Amino acid sequence: MTVSGPETPTRQHPLAELFEADAAPLIEDAADNHTVLTVDRGHLLEVLRRLKETPELDCDLLLDICAVDYEDRRPRFEVVYHLTSLDKGHRFRVKVPVEENDPVVPSAYGIWKAADWFEREAYDMMGIRFDGHPNLRRILCHEAFQGHALRKDYDPAQRWLFTDQETMTPSWTDEEGEDDGDHFEAQVLNLGPSHPATHGTLRTVMRLDGEVITRADAEIGYLHRCFEKMSETHGWNQVIPYTDRLNYCSSHLNGAGFALAVERMLGIEAPPRAQVVHVILSELSRLMDHAVCLGAVLVDLGALTNFWYFFQVREEIYGLLESCAGGRLTVSYARVGGLAHDVPADFSERVRYLLGYIPKFIDDVERLITTNKIFRDRTEGVGAISAEDALAWGWTGPCLRASGVPYDVRKAYPYFTYGEYDFEVPVATSGDCYARYLVRIEEMRQSLRIVRQAIDDLPSGPVITDDHHAALPPKEKVYSEMESLIWHFKLIYEGIKVPPGDAYAFVEGANGELGYYIVSDGGGKPYRVKVRPPCFAIYQAFPHILEGHLVPDAVAILGSLNIIAGELDR
Amino acid sequence: MKNVPTVNVDRPSQSIGERIYLVPVIKGLGVTLRHFLRNLFGQRDVATIQYPEVKRQYSERLRGRHILTTKEDGSLRCVACYMCETICPADCIHIEAEEDPEATVEWEKRPRVFEIDLLRCVFCGYCVDACPKQAIIMSREHEMAFETRDEAVVGIGELRQKGPIDKEDLGYRPYF
């Protein structure tokens, strides 16, 4: 198994003059609208800094850092950075080849704080060490874990049994002069991993001075199920049921995003009908995700009624998803090239019914909450983050928009048929819990607006591509025609043959930009799948936001960030 | 990020009534009271389902426990081609093939062992999509409980269709 390396470009890239001659990276344009920069690690930080600071490049958002193990290639590893400029709209992929016997690259934490957890993850999974990282420890695996699970030579059948009660030691205990003597004795409080107010298995350790949090540290990984490793051992379409278990509150979004990523690599497109159905179900899933988030945060703050109103909405949407896909929570409805099968005959009717049904409940919740003084007092100014900080931490989605940055993948890089619909991006400026609530409420209304336009314009036709290199032929042909039966067998036994190469595709998930970085070696299985989960970037800022807040505020902040453990830990 | 139509949802200003807390509380009580009265006297659109006396009506696509369909003579339609075992994302299907002694043509296979570990199964329906003989379909049975892990591994005996196919509670099947 070999994946071909980058070819030497024949002519100088127009961007090359922006870099100093001796540090000039190898620049080429990739098919997925990314500019790929290959740089040696000695010049990495210089190139990254230039990407951020040169006005023509202006990369303010570090989206993802991951490592790829090209087992047969020398150097064996490649560390991949994904960057974007919100103003310029261009996207960069920076690749750093790393030798197996000296897997060290300088840390980008000093340039973008977003590098913090992404570098820890690359260290944990691939054993790449980031020189200068303030806290390079394992993040998804247990501290006593041996080896690096995503390396190709790591046997997934290995089992580790941890008998001792090793738990995370908070990062601050190593520090000298912790007790400055003036305060009461610092108390350490453990929130989670199993706690009614942590939705999902999240553990936060807080050092308290009275009731004020002075330091906090988060431990994640309790729900780590090796999504990426499993993807490498199964076919392209078999990954879709796994993606349902990433953000399980809006599972269709994940499957549609993964299918889109593979379709882009194959150079095919889903038929128009499938794209519109994707949009409708994605928007309803987003609405459902926001409903769960708001319902849950309001329960934590003592307002139980809203939870029931929102879950009534969610039940109805689950009913629709079940009638289309056959599953409620884990829908597995998307396929590479379209949808598993057509929507039921009464689909339009049911969607139109939902369009009339849902707004009543959003209005009720607004009437109960938006102007309620108790809620405003609990959330206004709590957990506020500025637009600069949010960008530095790599935030995207509703939480970033609550800080005033109108970045929405559906508008910035329209996919499916989003470009055809008229909708607005809700933004607030204060970036606190209340702003995040307001943004989510408005996004629910905007989602309904998109669904209304999409259902009025639902095209007829097939729902999956007729390219039998990618999609199973229709069943009646499999039963009756020899050629279709052969394609059917080949696709199931050998899988889809995705051309060798790599691509990063991204959609607007319920919590922000959900990206899939996919590497193919031309075989029937993915060579590497890296998810960029929006929660991961958001949650890494959480311990820092907590400082100076009260313990009850921690619950409000955690709820308003909408951390989904399935997506966070994968 | 140029020309993105945005709608600013920044904090609404508070009127005096809202500031003294009373008006929003009365408005909120109005909302809950409306729901209460509707549930009390309306009865028709109450969201609660009195499970298990009343059950939710699911669609014909619900992916529940599998059924191995049979031919008219009562033998399994399955030809042990291993397609479902190959496509299964959860690796929960185990098949062992044998030669069918009653076959009308030479060399026909049938499953000697066909086991599904229902605790591993993720009910994604890929086996149904993969089957070229419509030999495995799904029912709407979704309430499964087991006392031991071994009990959850079901074989041909438990999976085989019980009577005429239209008497089964049919769920996810191939659509065309």
Side-chain angles (χ1 to χ4, degrees), chain A residues 147-162:
Chain A
H148 301 285
L150 276 178
R151 288 192 174 189
K152 286 282 172 186
D153 51 12
Y154 186 89
D155 176 13
Q158 275 185 76
R159 294 286 180 275
W160 297 97
L161 187 67
F162 301 125

Side-chain angles (χ1 to χ4, degrees), chain A residues 102-174:
Chain A
D102 183 24
V104 183
V105 287
S107 168
Y109 181 74
I111 308 173
W112 294 278
K113 282 189 272 188
D116 187 355
W117 280 16
F118 286 107
E119 287 183 350
R120 279 177 68 185
E121 190 196 337
Y123 163 70
D124 188 0
M125 291 294 146
M126 285 286 193
I128 310 286
R129 290 199 304 281
F130 291 87
D131 198 17
H133 189 285
N135 181 24
L136 194 65
R137 292 181 299 160
R138 288 189 180 273
I139 185 160
L140 296 177
C141 295
H142 194 278
E143 277 177 40
F145 190 86
Q146 304 284 315
H148 301 285
L150 276 178
R151 288 192 174 189
K152 286 282 172 186
D153 51 12
Y154 186 89
D155 176 13
Q158 275 185 76
R159 294 286 180 275
W160 297 97
L161 187 67
F162 301 125
T163 47
D164 52 344
Q165 296 293 308
E166 272 186 75
T167 51
M168 177 195 70
T169 39
S171 54
W172 65 77
T173 46
D174 315 321

Side-chain angles (χ1 to χ4, degrees), chain A residues 345-360:
Chain A
D346 61 349
F347 181 71
S348 289
E349 225 170 281
R350 293 186 70 150
V351 173
R352 273 180 229 281
Y353 166 72
L354 284 178
L355 286 173
Y357 181 83
I358 297 172
K360 289 184 289 189

Side-chain angles (χ1 to χ4, degrees), chain A residues 20 86 98 135 143 157 199 362 390 401 473 509 534 539 544 562:
Chain A
E20 298 209 2
L86 295 185
V98 181
N135 181 24
E143 277 177 40
H199 307 285
I362 303 178
R401 293 192 279 272
Y539 196 50
H544 301 268
N562 193 23

Side-chain angles (χ1 to χ4, degrees), chain A residues 379-402:
Chain A
T379 52
E380 271 184 285
V382 170
I385 185 164
S386 67
E388 294 75 43
D389 281 344
L391 282 173
W393 283 112
W395 284 26
T396 48
C399 294
L400 178 66
R401 293 192 279 272

Side-chain angles (χ1 to χ4, degrees), chain A residues 86 237-238 242 315 322 324-326 330-331 335 342 364 373 376 380 425 427 429-430 432 475 488 493, chain B residues 1 5-7 9-12 19 34-35 56 59 61 63 81 83 87 89 126 128-132 172:
Chain A
L86 295 185
N237 259 327
Q238 282 165 285
Y242 302 157
E315 267 317 292
E322 187 264 319
C324 295
T330 51
V331 288
R335 294 288 186 276
D342 203 356
D364 278 354
K373 192 166 159 43
R376 288 188 68 153
E380 271 184 285
V425 181
V427 284
T429 46
S430 52
D432 53 15
K475 264 285 155 95
H488 189 83
Y493 276 116
Chain B
M1 232 169 36
T6 56
V7 45
V9 294
D10 255 333
R11 57 202 59 215
R19 227 170 281 161
R34 200 185 74 233
H35 278 265
R56 177 180 287 278
S59 78
R61 294 186 180 181
R63 302 189 302 247
C81 68
M83 299 269 268
I87 200 73
Y126 275 38
V128 178
D129 293 343
C131 183
Y172 187 67

